[in-house]
């Protein structure tokens, strides 16, 4: 996944210290693949996955819309050239003054999952469109979403009715099947739930128009994942099955699926050692770890492919850890990572599939280490 | 733990958004308490716990030494007025060029836990003092240190012998009993291991001089913890028991114990909601979470005391979560947190005991949220 452009950049520029390099050509290809796979859905790029201005500008120019998590992200999307009507404030947890600020900036589409949030929006963003997030089970996802966002479908009906009563545009339903979702039937179950909310409200004369199918589209780490095309077909079938000919407007919010495979982190082996002479497992310490951008290795959830200059020679399992004085800064320990026995201190390794959820997760200065630098080429 | 000075500051300044306020008077008291409890030990403040320049300047002026994790932290300590001979480069994982830079800055005390690291130091920091970190079991600690740092005592003997052979000063042994350690006997076990390394090397004519007893001194969160005085007594007894009259020089490296209880985070309730009408547990969302500075709630390890303006009224269990669009950004869910039923959106809450390991853990811009601001008063 390290493209020739990325390899050339690293070979020429030789940046010191760990850094992420993102190839915009891959982002462009990913955007086109989503457009092709789901031609009837609007693409709202999840800015939080990687808000690099170059990425936002490219996607804005290609016609993408944007899913934002904060006023700062709204402003980033607008700075990149996106008009307000292509921006959704997709965080269900918002301060009322932030909603007011977004409304001032022209934002008219908001996520909610409870009546309390509806009331804030009614007060400071009158007449706006709201969609209610429905809880899904997240089964099959590598990074499950727990119950933090959304409410049960029965409550979503109350929430949207309340929105309508307060003069808002009860616009639709959203769900998120869980990040890095590889089970195609997850969308079918969630669309079934969405349809129930549509049907119940229709009986009361409230006509919802949109289903926001969220993100969850995986990027390829070590295991193969279904291609965008397979997702598109599964989703279209599920839409047909549940909504028949009365297909709603649909939105997707890819983040990881848009930029994950576009980025590669260059890192350096700082130390290779053992804890006892008779240990089988070597400890390999890199100059980047959990607090330098690889937070998604939490609970060893995401397992990144790692390329070393010694690949092809005999490997043995290693514990892989970061450079900080924090014992939690271990990337892979429960399931050790096979690396070449000939790997040496000072070797540069490439951590692939790191275009999403790395730079912004990086700690400001933990242990004095600077945050992950990023180059978008 | 919110001192009157902190309360007055918040009432007067009314800072917008989440922030940490640290009271230097508490840091001063803590330093004196450590001095009094362990009068024969040198105090090396663990800079990583909170590197605010005001804290470093205060401690440098009081005569503290400093334990650093990177060249950047070495420079911070020097900028605060600490001479190089009061600074230890305590990270066992160092790039050779960083060791060279520290040596240039005058640093002559380095941590190691393997021969590979000894060789780097011998090459670029000739003649320096090195101490070898020994693995302890960390039992009794709330934030255990796993096996990331240190080697077994038998290997420490080899590491220190190797240092001596390469012209370094084989200076001593270090251990870390685990952060927020409340079991006083942990130091006894570790000192027993340290003594064994001393004794074995003495037989070869290598005379170690120092035991670095690390940190682990707890700060008070919800549970009571033994006072510094109790630690001092337990440690002194253990030193006597294992070393008799030939007491080594000793170092301690308090971080959390020095600044934890000196800081309070002010936060705001952004949303209170349920996921279904018949849910027993409310979800309370704050404007700070795991990626905004409360990383140590990982696995619900550290449970901070929370003060609300409604304290005293009836409480009920809540799931407590942060404001980002990340499902992992939940602080307490497995063990819900009791909060007043009358708690309301917009209420300001104080999260106490947050002076250590908060600001620097904060993500640079996750979801567009700015890093945790900090005021040292």
């Amino acid at each position: 996944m390290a493209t020739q452009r990325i390899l050339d950049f690293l070979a020429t520029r030789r940046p010191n210290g760990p850094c992420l390099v993102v190839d915009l050509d891959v982002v462009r290809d990913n955007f086109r693949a989503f457009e092709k796979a789901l031609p009837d859905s609007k693409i709202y790029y999840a800015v939080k996955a990687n808000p690099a201005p170059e990425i936002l500008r490219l996607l804005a120019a290609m016609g993408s819309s944007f899913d934002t998590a904060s006023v700062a992200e709204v402003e980033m999307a607008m700075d990149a050239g996106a008009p307000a009507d292509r921006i959704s404030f997709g965080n269900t947890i918002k301060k009322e003054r932030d909603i007011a600020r977004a409304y001032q900036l022209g934002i008219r589409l908001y996520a909610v999952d409870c009546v309390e949030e509806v009331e804030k929006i009614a007060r400071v963003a009158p007449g706006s469109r709201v969609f209610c997030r429905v809880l899904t089970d997240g089964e099959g996802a590598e990074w499950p979403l727990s119950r933090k966002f959304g409410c049960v479908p029965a409550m979503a009906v109350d929430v949207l009715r309340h929105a309508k009563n307060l003069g808002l545009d009860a616009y639709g339903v959203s769900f998120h099947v869980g990040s890095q979702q590889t089970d195609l039937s997850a969308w079918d179950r969630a669309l079934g739930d969405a349809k129930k909310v549509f049907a119940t409200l229709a009986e009361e004369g409230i006509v919802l128009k949109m289903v926001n199918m969220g993100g969850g589209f995986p990027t390829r780490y070590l295991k193969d994942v279904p291609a965008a095309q397979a997702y598109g077909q599964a989703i279209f079938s599920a839409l047909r099955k549940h909504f028949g000919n009365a297909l709603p407007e649909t939105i997707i919010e890819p983040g990881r699926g848009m930029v994950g495979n576009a980025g590669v982190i260059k890192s350096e082996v700082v130390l290779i050692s053992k804890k006892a002479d008779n240990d089988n497992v070597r400890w390999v310490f890199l100059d980047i770890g959990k607090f330098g951008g690889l937070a998604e290795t939490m609970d060893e959830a995401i397992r990144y492919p790692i390329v070393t200059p010694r690949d092809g020679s005999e490997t043995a399992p290693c514990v892989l850890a970061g450079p900080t004085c924090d014992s939690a800064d271990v990337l892979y320990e429960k399931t050790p990572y096979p690396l070449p026995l000939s790997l040496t201190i000072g070797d540069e390794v490439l951590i692939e599939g790191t275009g999403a959820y790395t730079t912004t997760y990086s700690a400001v200065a933990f242990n004095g280490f600077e945050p992950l630098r990023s180059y978008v080429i």
Side-chain angles (χ1 to χ4, degrees), chain A:
Chain A
M1 285 192 288
T3 63
Q4 196 56 48
R5 294 184 69 222
I6 292 175
L7 295 175
D8 290 348
F9 175 88
L10 287 171
T12 314
R13 287 281 294 269
R14 313 245 5 107
N16 188 21
C19 65
L20 169 70
V21 188
V22 175
D23 184 342
L24 282 179
D25 285 352
V26 180
V27 179
R28 190 179 292 112
D29 290 348
N30 287 337
F31 184 81
R32 288 196 182 125
F34 277 118
E35 275 189 323
K36 201 175 153 212
L38 291 150
D40 301 317
S41 295
K42 268 195 207 154
I43 300 170
Y44 280 68
Y45 171 61
V47 174
K48 60 183 175 290
N50 191 328
E54 300 90 339
I55 294 173
L56 301 184
R57 281 198 296 266
L58 169 73
L59 291 173
M62 291 183 84
S64 185
S65 297
F66 295 89
D67 163 45
T68 63
S70 63
V71 171
E73 286 193 355
V74 168
E75 290 170 336
M76 289 177 208
M78 297 184 94
D79 287 348
D85 64 4
R86 281 205 260 142
I87 298 172
S88 155
F89 199 157
N91 192 340
T92 52
I93 308 150
K94 300 175 288 298
K95 287 183 182 169
E96 190 164 320
R97 55 189 184 275
D98 287 343
I99 299 168
R101 174 79 185 124
Y103 184 75
Q104 237 173 31
L105 292 169
I107 307 306
R108 297 291 181 269
L109 183 60
Y110 296 89
V112 297
D113 66 0
C114 60
V115 293
E116 292 80 359
E117 198 73 11
V118 163
E119 285 171 3
K120 292 181 198 169
I121 295 169
R123 278 193 292 268
V124 297
S128 292
R129 294 172 168 177
V130 296
F131 55 91
C132 185
R133 180 143 164 189
V134 174
L135 273 170
T136 61
D137 60 7
E139 221 180 293
E142 283 186 22
W143 185 258
L145 291 183
S146 87
R147 286 167 59 83
K148 183 175 177 188
F149 308 104
C151 60
V152 297
M155 192 167 130
V157 170
D158 298 335
V159 168
L160 288 164
R161 185 191 302 116
H162 197 64
K164 168 85 173 174
N165 290 343
L166 293 180
L168 295 169
D169 185 354
Y171 198 63
V173 167
S174 77
F175 57 79
H176 196 296
V177 293
S179 190
Q180 189 69 4
Q181 179 60 263
T182 54
D183 173 9
L184 296 178
S185 66
W187 277 270
D188 178 56
R189 289 193 300 276
L191 283 167
D193 285 340
K195 171 63 191 183
K196 277 181 220 151
V197 178
F198 270 64
T200 309
L201 284 168
E203 288 169 18
E204 306 178 17
I206 300 173
V207 182
L208 302 180
K209 299 178 197 69
M210 184 270 283
V211 176
N212 177 341
M213 301 187 290
F217 308 97
T219 197
R220 191 182 174 285
Y221 294 109
L222 284 173
K223 288 181 282 187
D224 273 323
V225 297
Q229 208 56 39
Y231 283 86
Q233 280 159 12
I235 289 169
F236 186 73
S237 305
L239 274 168
R240 277 284 188 199
K241 170 175 153 194
H242 295 293
F243 288 87
N245 285 325
L247 289 182
E249 293 171 32
T250 52
I251 278 177
I252 56 169
E253 298 174 333
R256 192 187 306 280
M258 189 73 84
V259 295
N261 68 338
V264 169
I265 284 174
K266 186 270 295 178
S267 175
E268 178 181 333
V269 176
V270 181
L271 183 64
I272 303 175
S273 65
K274 289 186 172 186
K275 301 294 163 187
D277 285 334
N278 57 354
D279 268 3
N280 288 323
V281 174
R282 291 168 302 161
W283 281 68
V284 173
F285 299 92
L286 301 178
D287 64 359
I288 184 171
K290 210 166 244 173
F291 302 103
L294 301 178
E296 292 207 315
T297 56
M298 207 187 293
D299 300 326
E300 311 195 8
I302 301 277
R303 204 164 166 88
Y304 296 107
I306 297 175
V307 175
T308 83
R310 321 274 176 181
D311 288 353
S313 69
E314 195 188 343
T315 66
C318 300
V319 175
L320 203 64
T324 67
C325 284
D326 193 311
S327 58
D329 187 13
V330 175
L331 306 176
Y332 306 116
E333 182 172 18
K334 278 173 237 156
T335 311
Y337 205 102
L339 288 172
L341 280 165
S342 54
L343 194 71
T344 300
I345 293 173
D347 278 354
E348 281 190 1
V349 301
L350 299 179
I351 310 173
E352 297 187 320
T354 43
Y357 300 110
T358 49
T359 49
T360 51
Y361 264 125
S362 180
V364 278
F366 193 55
N367 276 222
F369 292 112
E370 60 178 303
L372 182 60
R373 263 170 311 128
S374 148
Y375 302 93
V376 181
I377 60 172

